[in-house]
Amino acid sequence: MPDRASSWCEIMPTPFADVRVHRLDLAAARGDSVRLAAVLTAPERARAALFRRTDDRLRFVVTRAVLRLLLAEAGLGPPEALTIVADGNGKPEIPHSAPLRFNVAHSGAVALVAFADGRDVGVDVEAVRERPDLRDVAARFFARSEVEALGRLPAAEHAAAFHRCWVRKEACVKAAGVGLRAPLAEVVVGVGVRPGAWAATVGGGAPRAFELADVAAGSGYAAAVAVAAPAWRGGRVSV
Ligand SMILES: CC(C)(COP(=O)(O)OP(=O)(O)OC[C@H]1O[C@@H](n2cnc3c(N)ncnc32)[C@H](O)[C@@H]1OP(=O)(O)O)[C@@H](O)C(=O)NCCC(=O)NCCS
């Protein structure tokens, strides 16, 4: 990692002993982006060049480079030589790799890179913002109990509670590898503030259980990390 990385890359606490979540401050990492880009592969550089917005390009370059550097630190090989491919659902992975699993997410000026030992992991972060369609989105993607709980909150708390619920769901479906095609309303995670870890299931062909926890990603952001519950290690679910 670049020497200055400690100023923009920090490890966030989670309740899981075998899970590590790194929080990247993308604005602060900007000065290192050229050096970081050196560990990207030619296809990754080509992909970066396709982003029209500088911020989107920076987000991809920094996050992918840090992922490579951290995988290298974990002993998987030189960062630029690691083969990272998308599986059938688009989830990046290292084929036939050691038990280390990973997942990344980015929103605004924050990216998260999560690792878990031998357990599928998913992470999500979203910048909390007021959105006029919040109730419609909740009605479509939240469980009835979550919609009702959201409705009981004062309007000033809606945006934070909505995003809290959303990132929890997305972390679970990213851990399952299926992404947003999963039946999100069936992934019941709640809208309230909740310390510690708890469980949720992702349905479909063969439901899978996940352990879930919120991540303190900074003021103005909601974030969560999910890992396959011990009895459900490995495998994929189709929806
Ligand atoms: C994956 C998905 C949840 C990402 O949501 P998002 O809010 O736009 O983006 P996030 O910042 O949370 O996450 C992006 C990262 O998730 C990872 N990702 C991509 N697909 C994934 C999947 N199926 N499961 C878990 N993680 C995935 C990638 O690392 C990606 O970052 P990168 O492209 O820079 O490497 C969303 O795009 C989705 O559901 N896609 C559907 C998957 C799909 O239908 N694939 C079709 C077959 S290719």
Side-chain angles (χ1 to χ4, degrees):
M1 295 282 283
D3 296 341
R4 293 197 307 274
S6 56
S7 66
W8 51 258
C9 179
E10 58 176 325
I11 296 181
M12 310 307 297
T14 79
F16 310 112
D18 61 339
V19 174
R20 255 189 327 154
V21 177
H22 299 256
R23 178 192 187 277
L24 317 184
D25 177 340
L26 295 170
R30 187 177 287 266
D32 288 316
S33 63
V34 173
R35 264 198 305 163
L36 287 168
V39 302
L40 299 189
T41 60
E44 287 170 342
R45 276 190 222 135
R47 182 177 162 195
L50 292 176
F51 288 104
R52 287 201 183 161
R53 293 182 57 235
T54 309
D55 283 352
D56 292 338
R57 189 163 56 247
L58 180 86
R59 197 172 295 146
F60 172 71
V61 166
V62 172
T63 311
R64 181 55 64 97
V66 169
L67 171 65
R68 284 186 170 279
L69 290 163
L70 291 171
L71 287 167
E73 272 182 19
L76 270 65
E80 62 284 352
L82 295 169
T83 303
I84 300 176
V85 292
D87 73 4
N89 288 312
K91 183 174 184 176
E93 62 177 14
I94 298 185
H96 319 298
S97 79
L100 193 64
R101 311 280 166 82
F102 62 84
N103 193 228
V104 311
H106 21 61
S107 179
V110 171
L112 298 178
V113 182
F115 297 94
D117 286 332
R119 304 208 267 167
D120 285 336
V121 61
V123 69
D124 191 39
V125 59
E126 296 286 342
V128 174
R129 60 188 170 90
E130 299 293 339
R131 44 187 301 172
D133 62 345
L134 186 147
R135 279 175 182 278
D136 296 338
V137 177
R140 185 157 169 219
F141 296 111
F142 286 12
R144 182 189 294 194
S145 61
E146 293 165 342
V147 174
E148 289 171 357
L150 195 62
R152 287 194 294 273
L153 291 173
E157 292 175 29
H158 281 179
F162 171 88
H163 287 90
R164 202 155 46 225
C165 186
W166 182 269
V167 296
R168 291 168 178 172
K169 287 177 189 287
E170 196 171 321
C172 288
V173 299
K174 288 178 77 179
V178 290
L180 298 174
R181 286 181 296 127
L184 289 181
E186 294 173 20
V187 186
V188 183
V189 293
V191 303
V193 174
R194 193 161 176 181
W198 69 101
T201 54
V202 174
R208 292 184 64 193
F210 293 90
E211 294 179 297
L212 177 69
D214 290 337
V215 175
S219 172
Y221 289 89
V225 63
V227 269
W232 296 74
R233 284 165 198 264
R236 281 279 179 273
V237 58
S238 58
V239 293

